[in-house]
Amino acid sequence: MIETIKQIEGNIGFGYDIHQLVPSRKLVIGGIEIDYHLGALAHSDGDVLIHALIDAILTGIGSLDIGSHFPDTDRKYFGIDSTILLSEVMTICHSKGYKINNVSLTVILEEPKLADYIPIMKVKLANLLKVKVSDIGIAAKTNEKLGLAGESKAIIAFAAVSLNKIET
Ligand code: MG
């Protein structure tokens, strides 16, 4: 018996980001402000998780990276809410004929614990990406006190995304 398997054209994308942690800055992760005495040093709001996700989406659709689309030399992006950048990236994504299937995210920071924030991050990202909350996975890990993240000098994020071509 010959089975017909419907083939769906899909792509994957991967992204990474790191920011220094410094005093007197907000800590924003996944579009949510986190209560902590350090924040991300950045031209934008320094949302490391959304920046990694943006690079995953952009590279997954064969586009240029976040720094090419939103240069940190451009004053218009100074202090910008990274969810605005993600919305613009979703417009690019849809205009190229792709939709998000699911995303898998990892954020690495020694403290504070993010468990209480993750459910609201997932809802926020699901709305921005036009996917179900169950299609967003977020792991939060310490770096076991090792290296820059382990010493709370940096926050790091990785993002993987699966994209499908929209059927026309
Ligand atoms: Mg960044």
Side-chain angles (χ1 to χ4, degrees):
M1 188 176 95
I2 299 170
E3 286 186 54
T4 306
I5 298 171
K6 189 179 175 198
Q7 195 148 9
I8 298 169
E9 195 181 336
N11 285 8
I12 62 159
F14 177 79
Y16 159 85
D17 197 29
I18 183 169
H19 283 268
Q20 278 187 59
L21 285 174
V22 294
S24 308
R25 290 280 309 192
K26 284 191 301 184
L27 182 60
V28 182
I29 305 174
I32 305 297
E33 192 168 336
I34 309 293
D35 184 22
Y36 191 48
H37 68 285
L38 302 176
L41 184 63
H43 184 72
S44 67
D45 67 358
D47 191 327
V48 70
L49 194 59
I50 287 188
H51 295 177
L53 175 57
I54 284 174
D55 264 342
I57 296 166
L58 288 173
T59 57
I61 61 173
S63 185
L64 297 171
D65 64 13
I66 186 170
S68 304
H69 282 275
F70 312 110
D72 65 8
T73 49
D74 190 333
R75 284 200 54 80
K76 123 174 117 168
Y77 301 120
F78 182 74
I80 196 166
D81 179 340
S82 293
T83 61
I84 294 169
L85 305 181
L86 181 57
S87 294
E88 289 188 29
V89 165
M90 288 312 299
T91 301
I92 296 167
C93 180
H94 292 144
S95 73
K96 285 209 167 203
Y98 287 94
K99 70 177 185 66
I100 305 287
N101 186 29
N102 76 301
V103 301
S104 176
L105 308 169
T106 296
V107 57
I108 303 173
L109 81 169
E110 208 60 26
E111 56 176 26
K113 293 284 179 224
L114 296 183
D116 291 344
Y117 295 100
I118 285 177
I120 44 174
M121 279 181 207
K122 288 178 62 163
V123 169
K124 184 140 198 175
L125 292 176
N127 286 332
L128 288 161
L129 298 178
K130 315 259 189 285
V131 299
K132 299 193 294 288
V133 173
S134 58
D135 291 325
I136 309 275
I138 304 175
K141 307 178 70 67
T142 74
N143 216 37
E144 296 286 336
K145 298 190 167 31
L146 298 166
L148 295 173
E151 294 168 5
S152 293
K153 291 179 179 167
I155 179 168
I156 294 169
F158 300 95
V161 59
S162 158
L163 301 128
N164 285 340
K165 268 281 192 193
I166 298 165
E167 288 186 44
T168 51

